[in-house]
Amino acid sequence: MTTLETVSVTPPHKPRPPARATGAISAAQLLAALPGAFRKLDPRQMWRNPVMFIVETGALLTTALAIAEPFLGGPATSGGDTVPPSFTAAIAGWLWLTVVFANLAESVAEGRGKAQADSLRKTRTSTRTARLVGYDSETDAAAQHTPTEQVSSADLTLGDVIVVVAGDLIPGDGDIIWGIASVDESAITGESAPVVRESGGDRSAVTGGTRVLSDRIVVLITSKPGETFVDRMIGLVEGAKRQKTPNEMALNILLAALSIVFVVVTLTLNPIAGYSNAAVSLPVLVALLVCLIPTTIGALLSAIGIAGMDRLVQRNVLAMSGRAVEAAGDVTTLLLDKTGTITYGNRRATEFVPLAGVETSVLVYSAALSSLSDPTPEGKSIVDLAVAQCLERPNAQDGIVVPFTAQTRMSGIDLPDGAQIRKGAGSAVIAWASETTPSDPSALAELAGQVERISQAGGTPLVVAVGSAEGKRQIVGVIYLKDVVKEGTAARFAELRAMGICTIMVTGDNPLTAKTIAAEAGVDDFLAEATPEEKLELIRREQAGGNLVAMTGDGTNDAPALAQADVGVAMNTGTSAAKEAGNMVDLDSDPTKLIDIVRIGKQLLITRGALTTFSIANDVAKYFAIIPAMFAGVFPGLAFLNLMQLHSPASAILSAIIFNALIIVALIPLALRGVKYRPAAASSILSRNLLVYGLGGVLVPFIGIKLIDLAITLIPGF
Amino acid sequence: MDNWQIALQAATVALVLTLIYRPLGDYMALIYTSRRDLRVERGFYRLIGVDPRSEQTWQSYLRSALAISFVGVLVLYGLQRLQAALPYALGFPAIPEGLSFNTAISFVTNTNWQSYSPDVTMGYSVQLLGLAVQNFVSAAVGLCVAIALVRAFAAVRSGTIGNFWVDLTRGILRLLLPVSVLVAILLIAAGVIQNVAGFTSITTLTGTTQSLPGGPVASQEAIKILGTNGGGFFNANSAHPFENPTALTSLLQVVLMLAIPFSLPRTFGTIVGDRKQGYAILATMASIFVISLTALTLFETLGGGTAPQLAGAAMEGKETRFGIGASTLYATATTLTSTGAVNSMHDSFTALGGLMPMFNMMLGEVAPGGVGSGLYGMLILAVIAVFVAGLLVGRTPEYLGKKLGPREIKLASLYILVTPTLVLAGTALSFAIPAVRADVEGTSIWNPGLHGLSEVLYAFTSASNNNGSAFAGLTANTPWFNAALGAAMLLGRFIPIVLVLALAGTLAAQDKVPATTGTLPTNKPQFVGLLFGVTIIIVALTYFPVLALGPLAEGLQ
């Protein structure tokens, strides 16, 4: 089929529009999420988020007070000040809103996944399928004579063998053990063009819920009911089985600790203030506590995590766990397959090199003639180059095409007049030529020199020999096939290097070729003549040095390496073994996506850090609003700290609470979209983010609280 | 007051500390990493049955540290209770139970809070056999814990963090003891007394009789300062002319207080193999110190009110032989370390001036902090700072190649919870329990009103952070304060130690992740700014309300 020693199978890459719009949220989305937000008010659910649980408790407490106050003779004085009658009710109302806003963020994030889950669920409808009874691959591989029984897809178990014919839904995940078929996988990948799946090799996996469009295949079921790929996908995009990642847990602990500190601050305040007769009322205490605990990040933390997974899903990557997404941000070593990632994957003929004493036209003609019936890009490129060198396109002749096999490592054509043309690996073609005609040592030496030169330059030498009808065979020259590196790769790798990520190119090429391409593409290192074992060994070595490794793979023999890697991205076209071993699956089967995955992982962590920083920085302004307000009645001197010149103690406290609630809503889009990430060295990213979220976090609330205060002064009584 | 003189004093201290930073820091690194034992050390190890080459897990290291401290409390308590039977008791009776308990804890925890007047309470035996011994041991224990944490950062997949008994012995024999001897001689030469003469009656110029105390002061003074202990031989502490006779000895004491804590970052940098990491920690400590000193000096020189205006500065409670500069320098040094010795009365500072020593301690005494405890306190804050900032650069945060996961953050978070909880709960309980409040307001507080609140807040801040300095004006020798402050000192010392050693155990067991350009650099000015910000903001947020009720309300009247 192809002329070369190494077979390169590249899945078609078609740019396709993202599955759904990203980023901004619509009013409809908010509305749809609202019921969920209220359902989440259930304390048993809130308990899992300690920060918001405190807010809810505060809301309950102030609500009870607001109801009781009219019967107890109005609101209690606070810090020597009287407060307006509606103060407690206003605080209670805004506290409830704070909790609802937090739940809304999570609901919106989950809602996005739900839409996708619903469409996936449709593929899971139970179908009838033909199960083979007593299938024997030895005697009846095609299952033409084996009896079948009709069963429901829900009853299929591991190890069952089924027959699927054109028009049928594939009932469960499995591997094709016989046959070839075109399959419509649009339900899973969103890609409308059908893909070819065939037994043996690395494209044998089929996914439940996809439809066979042509032919007939025998499939070995490889998943238990309820644990299929689609089931897992649904679970993942819905966030149903979302487990907190280590980093999220660590952050939660820090937030809990900060909350505890502020609970202590609040609880101890009144006894101490009581000494100076400055004790404050309960609603004010609750307001102080809620303002101080990190509500912004507490409210948005889980939404950030869900949205991070969702961003991957939008790029058609399924992470099997949030842990894997986080690990992607930490990756320090990327193993990139040369083919398809670094090079276009198809080598192009760039030069004909005739041996001494051979007319160039003979070489060009022979090469072109033998490639006419070669459908591979390499074959076509030989003909193209020949035409470009002013050769008329030779007419196709009714010769016998000799296909490439791994054994012969050459291909060619036997012409009707008895002449033969062979092209292929040097050693194979030399062996073929010397079968009948002893080789000329000087020609061999010259050939060796050319082969060496081309190899060193990173090319693939394709040796061409012709045989006359009389049986005299002669090597006529070499075709220089060149692996073309994708544009912009070097810049991309330089970017990765700036991020502290080292790239290693993995290729089956010989070291010479690999070295040249590595230099051209700008990767940091390469692994030539890579075997699966060597790949695994390389990963282990990198990990022993403390590096986190990410890689892509599709073949069954990639499975151990995929499992060993910290981030293993399996191609959806790959075998189920590969998909099982990796912790992510790329539905587009695009190996370059590894770089996007790393970016998304980093973005997830940065978003968390940014909102944490912002949340803590906010406290500074809130203090300057609340503290002078709390004790202004007893210590008028503290008005000096009222930097914002807020109107009255009651309005100052209420403004801080309102700001605290509104900032959550304002930041939901950011939490869902993620902070903008530009690859750069850590120190410059840090400077920028500290400026935006640290300094911004200090300044924004000063302005926000002041504006809200101006609005509140319009309300009589405040 | 001559501003030039103030600046010159500070510059002298800075210069001396700069000069000793490298040699002392490297020497300490050598002490704690050397594989060789002195003969006297080998003898001691044989005596206590310790194999100096065997290493301990963090749990075992912790048990040893707690054991020696527990024994220390028992011995010190016993000595005080048996004082009457001891030689050189100067006729003083046994010390009462409550006070003995408080004092025993106070000296074992490196706090050296004194609820009593030493000159009329403690005889020479208790001073020398009890208090002085703990001055050495408590300082050495602090060093051990800090070094264990530093070692953990340097270790790779190690189950152990060192040998406590070796660290303790070396800290005393190779560092604290020899330097103390040297310092004592210097102090004697500079006029500090050293005798066992008891009380001497003299007739003054006006014809009245005065009883002058004597005592082995210089030898006590050396380790009191060097080990950031701070427990004075006399009630007036370093304001007493026999403890601190001249401006020169005052300056010398400031240098000695800061010498080890400010050099420990070098030890840290050397052991973890990146001296710049040490400089980053040092720079953070030094920035906080300079800013705090400047603020205090400004508040005191510009102090409002009639008396300060006439005197040119707030001179109440300050020795004229020291003046403003030497007093604020000493006050800043003593509260930013865990020393707590005083050469002026912090209670008499201006309201906002009095806030500064309090705020210094509330920072957790990390700039540069107590011997050992300052470094581990600052490293904990660095862990918190790296965690937040590490997220900002898109990596799982790591400090010195150690990943900061849930367990590390749990331990660090608990650490920063401990002292604020103790300070605030202690202060609040003093006013929340009616019987206690009556006692506190009736017996203990001498200055009612806002200043009285500051005095109580100061006492709990000082005890929980193991400082030991007092806002004079509070009678603390009451059952409530002896018990509550004793508990605060005990918990404020040992809970953090447990957490630090647990963190050390976790970190030591980890692999070391190599640094890349994607790693947050922790040895650059940027990180110094970050660590500075985290330290100030965490403390400010925690204590702002209570400070607003005390010194701020008083100062902004």
Side-chain angles (χ1 to χ4, degrees):
Chain A
M1 176 183 160
T2 160
T3 46
L4 299 177
E5 317 171 48
T6 37
V7 185
S8 58
V9 177
T10 344
H13 305 298
K14 273 181 232 157
R16 48 195 222 96
R20 278 160 294 137
T22 58
I25 43 170
S26 63
Q29 268 180 310
L30 281 178
L31 211 62
L34 216 49
F38 279 102
R39 258 198 310 279
K40 285 173 192 286
L41 287 175
D42 184 343
R44 282 167 301 181
Q45 283 202 43
M46 293 299 295
W47 174 245
R48 276 181 286 166
N49 183 343
V51 177
M52 295 319 292
F53 184 75
I54 292 178
V55 181
E56 192 180 30
T57 313
L60 271 173
L61 201 64
T62 42
T63 307
L65 271 173
I67 295 168
E69 262 172 11
F71 306 104
L72 300 172
T77 57
S78 172
D81 254 327
T82 50
V83 291
S86 57
F87 178 75
T88 311
I91 293 283
W94 279 101
L95 290 186
W96 282 116
L97 279 177
T98 310
V99 186
V100 170
F101 289 160
N103 290 347
L104 196 62
E106 199 180 274
S107 255
V108 170
E110 285 173 353
R112 296 174 146 209
K114 266 203 186 82
Q116 175 126 358
D118 287 342
S119 76
L120 282 172
R121 210 170 261 127
K122 289 196 191 105
T123 70
R124 226 173 34 166
T125 46
S126 129
T127 49
R128 306 293 293 175
T129 190
R131 181 163 65 188
L132 292 164
V133 183
Y135 175 76
D136 184 353
S137 58
E138 297 288 317
T139 57
D140 186 16
Q144 300 287 9
H145 314 295
T146 314
T148 60
E149 55 180 359
Q150 288 293 316
V151 292
S152 164
S153 57
D155 296 332
L156 287 177
T157 56
L158 212 67
D160 281 352
V161 180
I162 55 164
V163 176
V164 192
V165 296
D168 281 357
L169 268 183
I170 298 173
D173 296 357
D175 281 328
I176 302 180
I177 50 178
W178 180 88
I180 178 165
S182 59
V183 179
D184 173 13
E185 294 193 338
S186 57
I188 312 284
T189 62
E191 174 73 67
S192 55
V195 293
V196 173
R197 293 278 178 259
E198 60 183 317
S199 63
D202 289 345
R203 286 191 293 171
S204 61
V206 287
T207 313
T210 58
R211 189 176 293 278
V212 174
L213 294 180
S214 71
D215 302 292
R216 174 177 176 279
I217 47 175
V218 177
V219 176
L220 173 72
I221 296 295
T222 54
S223 66
K224 288 189 200 139
E227 288 176 20
T228 64
F229 190 64
V230 173
D231 290 317
R232 282 205 313 224
M233 262 179 86
I234 292 171
L236 285 164
V237 294
E238 271 193 329
K241 272 189 268 168
R242 211 175 77 82
Q243 283 173 334
K244 284 193 179 133
T245 60
N247 176 262
E248 206 177 343
M249 282 193 302
L251 185 54
N252 247 320
I253 291 168
L254 182 67
L255 297 182
L258 286 176
S259 303
I260 294 172
V261 169
F262 292 127
V263 168
V264 171
V265 168
T266 321
L267 284 180
T268 54
L269 191 64
N270 256 347
I272 298 174
Y275 170 77
S276 309
N277 295 319
V280 295
S281 71
L282 205 51
V284 173
L285 264 192
V286 172
L288 172 70
L289 176 61
V290 170
C291 279
L292 293 185
I293 58 177
T295 45
T296 315
I297 178 68
L300 298 173
L301 188 57
S302 72
I304 294 170
I306 298 171
M309 292 283 264
D310 194 52
R311 273 199 294 283
L312 276 180
V313 172
Q314 282 167 12
R315 282 170 182 75
N316 267 351
V317 176
L318 289 181
M320 296 304 164
S321 70
R323 200 179 277 255
V325 187
E326 225 165 62
D330 289 349
V331 160
T332 48
T333 306
L334 279 188
L335 296 196
L336 298 169
D337 276 329
K338 184 197 77 177
T339 309
T341 313
I342 294 170
T343 64
Y344 284 109
N346 37 34
R347 283 161 265 209
R348 302 185 61 83
T350 52
E351 191 186 352
F352 292 112
V353 188
L355 291 187
V358 178
E359 285 288 318
T360 309
S361 60
V362 173
L363 169 64
V364 176
Y365 179 77
S366 321
L369 194 59
S370 68
S371 304
L372 276 179
S373 48
D374 184 344
T376 61
E378 288 89 348
K380 286 199 195 89
S381 78
I382 293 173
V383 179
D384 290 347
L385 184 67
V387 173
Q389 294 204 347
C390 308
L391 180 83
E392 266 187 52
R393 179 178 279 269
N395 292 318
Q397 298 195 15
D398 307 326
I400 303 157
V401 175
V402 180
F404 177 89
T405 68
Q407 279 77 40
T408 60
R409 295 194 297 145
M410 58 184 182
S411 66
I413 188 165
D414 291 347
L415 296 172
D417 63 2
Q420 295 172 306
I421 306 172
R422 291 289 183 275
K423 64 181 199 286
S427 56
V429 176
I430 292 168
W432 178 78
S434 39
E435 271 173 24
T436 59
T437 319
S439 305
D440 170 14
S442 70
L444 277 186
E446 192 197 348
L447 180 67
Q450 290 297 346
V451 167
E452 174 76 8
R453 176 184 70 90
I454 294 169
S455 299
Q456 270 192 353
T460 308
L462 206 58
V463 179
V464 183
V466 293
S468 67
E470 300 80 48
K472 183 172 178 294
R473 292 173 181 174
Q474 186 200 359
I475 294 170
V476 289
V478 188
I479 307 169
Y480 183 167
L481 288 181
K482 201 172 172 187
D483 215 352
V484 184
V485 173
K486 289 184 176 178
E487 294 110 54
T489 8
R492 211 151 185 209
F493 293 145
E495 214 173 59
L496 285 172
R497 205 166 300 121
M499 288 154 68
I501 296 170
C502 147
T503 44
I504 301 180
M505 181 181 86
V506 179
T507 169
D509 292 345
N510 64 59
L512 277 177
T513 313
K515 189 176 174 188
T516 315
I517 294 174
E520 195 179 338
V523 292
D524 298 303
D525 202 356
F526 63 90
L527 178 68
E529 287 172 349
T531 62
E533 294 74 33
E534 279 172 338
K535 222 164 154 178
L536 186 61
E537 186 45 44
L538 174 70
I539 295 175
R540 290 216 174 110
R541 213 165 42 237
E542 287 288 320
Q543 286 173 334
N547 287 311
L548 260 77
V549 183
M551 68 167 285
T552 60
D554 52 6
T556 300
N557 54 17
D558 282 334
L562 278 171
Q564 178 72 33
D566 301 281
V567 177
V569 183
M571 301 291 105
N572 192 42
T573 51
T575 58
S576 41
K579 278 151 94 174
E580 205 59 50
N583 44 20
M584 290 192 197
V585 175
D586 178 17
L587 299 174
D588 295 341
S589 304
D590 172 7
T592 52
K593 221 181 262 171
L594 199 50
I595 298 168
D596 292 335
I597 294 172
V598 169
R599 187 184 292 258
I600 290 171
K602 286 195 177 292
Q603 202 186 21
L604 175 69
L605 291 172
I606 294 178
T607 308
R608 261 184 218 146
L611 291 180
T612 308
T613 310
F614 188 83
S615 198
I616 296 173
N618 270 200
D619 278 5
V620 176
K622 291 182 203 161
Y623 258 140
F624 280 103
I626 291 195
I627 297 290
M630 274 167 62
F631 305 118
V634 185
F635 307 120
L638 288 179
F640 177 78
L641 297 176
N642 187 0
L643 299 180
M644 286 169 272
Q645 294 299 311
L646 301 178
H647 177 68
S648 72
S651 91
I653 293 167
L654 191 59
S655 303
I657 282 287
I658 294 177
F659 175 83
N660 201 43
L662 292 182
I663 196 73
I664 295 175
V665 184
L667 289 173
I668 289 179
L670 181 71
L672 296 186
R673 195 181 59 230
V675 166
K676 209 174 198 167
Y677 174 69
R678 283 196 216 99
S683 52
S684 58
I685 298 178
L686 179 65
S687 297
R688 186 177 165 277
N689 285 335
L690 274 182
L691 195 69
V692 176
Y693 299 99
L695 195 62
V698 172
L699 297 181
V700 166
F702 273 107
I703 301 165
I705 292 175
K706 178 66 188 170
L707 289 178
I708 296 170
D709 179 71
L710 287 176
I712 289 181
T713 38
L714 301 175
I715 304 171
F718 280 91
Chain B
M1 194 68 211
D2 189 357
N3 289 332
W4 281 110
Q5 197 186 331
I6 295 176
L8 196 66
Q9 284 180 344
T12 310
V13 172
L15 179 70
V16 177
L17 290 174
T18 310
L19 288 178
I20 60 172
Y21 177 71
R22 287 175 64 165
L24 181 57
D26 286 343
Y27 175 61
M28 287 191 284
L30 182 70
I31 290 177
Y32 291 107
T33 51
S34 161
R35 308 279 296 166
R36 295 168 66 181
D37 302 307
L38 304 178
R39 185 180 300 162
V40 52
E41 290 169 348
R42 278 199 296 273
F44 178 70
Y45 299 143
R46 263 199 299 279
L47 193 70
I48 59 171
V50 164
D51 169 12
R53 289 289 84 82
S54 76
E55 298 237 320
Q56 289 173 297
T57 61
W58 75 265
Q59 292 98 333
S60 168
Y61 200 97
L62 173 66
R63 275 195 297 274
S64 306
L66 293 181
I68 192 153
S69 303
F70 181 69
V71 169
V73 172
L74 286 186
V75 169
L76 194 48
Y77 181 83
L79 280 173
Q80 292 177 81
R81 302 288 295 139
L82 298 173
Q83 166 153 277
L86 296 173
Y88 286 107
L90 307 181
F92 295 139
I95 293 151
E97 286 163 5
L99 184 58
S100 296
F101 165 79
N102 184 283
T103 307
I105 287 175
S106 171
F107 276 76
V108 170
T109 56
N110 198 251
T111 313
N112 306 47
W113 168 270
Q114 293 164 297
S115 286
Y116 58 94
S117 291
D119 6 5
V120 292
T121 315
M122 302 283 182
Y124 296 160
S125 297
V126 175
Q127 288 269 22
L128 288 174
L129 298 176
L131 306 185
V133 168
Q134 283 312 320
N135 279 350
F136 280 100
V137 174
S138 68
V141 168
L143 278 169
C144 288
V145 176
I147 290 296
L149 181 62
V150 172
R151 260 194 215 118
F153 275 114
V156 179
R157 268 180 285 175
S158 160
T160 56
I161 54 171
N163 185 316
F164 174 80
W165 301 107
V166 172
D167 292 344
L168 182 79
T169 312
R170 289 183 179 178
I172 294 174
L173 285 184
R174 299 195 194 180
L175 180 67
L176 298 175
L177 206 55
V179 179
S180 294
V181 170
L182 200 70
V183 169
I185 294 169
L186 276 177
L187 287 175
I188 293 169
V192 178
I193 61 166
Q194 177 78 7
N195 58 52
V196 284
F199 292 90
T200 315
S201 268
I202 57 156
T203 310
T204 63
L205 287 175
T206 51
T208 52
T209 316
Q210 195 177 347
S211 172
L212 281 186
V217 178
S219 58
Q220 296 282 86
E221 199 66 11
I223 187 63
K224 159 189 138 183
I225 297 298
L226 184 70
T228 60
N229 290 289
F233 198 91
F234 301 116
N235 193 34
N237 209 306
S238 283
H240 195 291
F242 288 175
E243 279 198 31
N244 190 8
T246 64
L248 182 68
T249 53
S250 183
L251 214 55
L252 179 64
Q253 293 194 356
V254 170
V255 168
L256 287 170
M257 266 188 253
L258 302 175
I260 294 177
F262 260 133
S263 300
L264 273 172
R266 170 77 176 188
T267 314
F268 162 69
T270 304
I271 293 180
V272 300
D274 179 0
R275 299 230 161 96
K276 281 190 185 162
Q277 300 285 356
Y279 281 114
I281 296 291
L282 174 73
T284 314
M285 291 173 163
S287 319
I288 296 175
F289 191 92
V290 168
I291 291 171
S292 174
L293 173 63
T294 312
L296 177 59
T297 310
L298 283 179
F299 288 138
E300 293 309 292
T301 41
L302 305 175
T306 322
Q309 294 294 332
L310 287 174
M315 281 304 290
E316 182 195 319
K318 299 187 183 71
E319 294 288 302
T320 47
R321 66 182 189 279
F322 301 140
I324 294 285
S327 300
T328 56
L329 182 59
Y330 203 103
T332 306
T334 200
T335 49
L336 272 173
T337 62
S338 76
T339 313
V342 291
N343 77 349
S344 57
M345 295 302 124
H346 298 174
D347 185 42
S348 302
F349 284 7
T350 58
L352 294 178
L355 175 110
M356 290 316 297
M358 221 183 295
F359 192 77
N360 288 344
M361 292 186 285
M362 286 169 175
L363 285 173
E365 293 162 358
V366 288
V371 168
S373 62
L375 181 64
Y376 64 69
M378 190 51 114
L379 289 178
I380 293 277
L381 286 165
V383 164
I384 300 279
V386 167
F387 181 73
V388 175
L391 286 178
L392 281 180
V393 304
R395 289 275 297 260
T396 300
E398 61 210 32
Y399 185 40
L400 299 166
K402 301 289 187 178
K403 282 209 182 298
L404 304 178
R407 187 172 159 80
E408 290 76 23
I409 293 303
K410 189 192 292 170
L411 295 168
S413 299
L414 285 173
Y415 182 100
I416 55 168
L417 268 179
V418 175
T419 42
T421 307
L422 290 173
V423 172
L424 294 175
T427 311
L429 286 176
S430 300
F431 298 111
I433 307 168
V436 171
R437 178 171 177 169
D439 179 55
V440 168
E441 287 185 355
T443 316
S444 296
I445 294 179
W446 283 22
N447 309 68
L450 292 171
H451 205 68
L453 176 70
S454 298
E455 285 168 1
V456 176
L457 178 63
Y458 193 105
F460 278 99
T461 308
S462 173
S464 306
N465 286 293
N466 298 140
N467 183 275
S469 69
F471 231 31
L474 183 80
T475 303
N477 190 9
T478 64
W480 164 250
F481 278 115
N482 275 335
L485 294 178
M489 288 187 279
L490 203 59
L491 299 175
R493 170 78 166 179
F494 292 108
I495 296 178
I497 285 183
V498 172
L499 296 170
V500 169
L501 289 178
L503 182 66
T506 313
L507 292 175
Q510 274 196 36
D511 233 335
K512 226 169 153 63
V513 184
T516 68
T517 47
T519 316
L520 171 83
T522 52
N523 52 11
K524 300 246 170 74
Q526 185 187 42
F527 182 71
V528 174
L530 185 76
L531 184 52
F532 179 89
V534 165
T535 308
I536 300 290
I537 285 192
I538 287 186
V539 174
L541 291 182
T542 311
Y543 291 105
F544 191 26
V546 69
L547 287 175
L549 284 169
L552 270 178
E554 191 187 349
L556 295 175
Q557 262 171 356

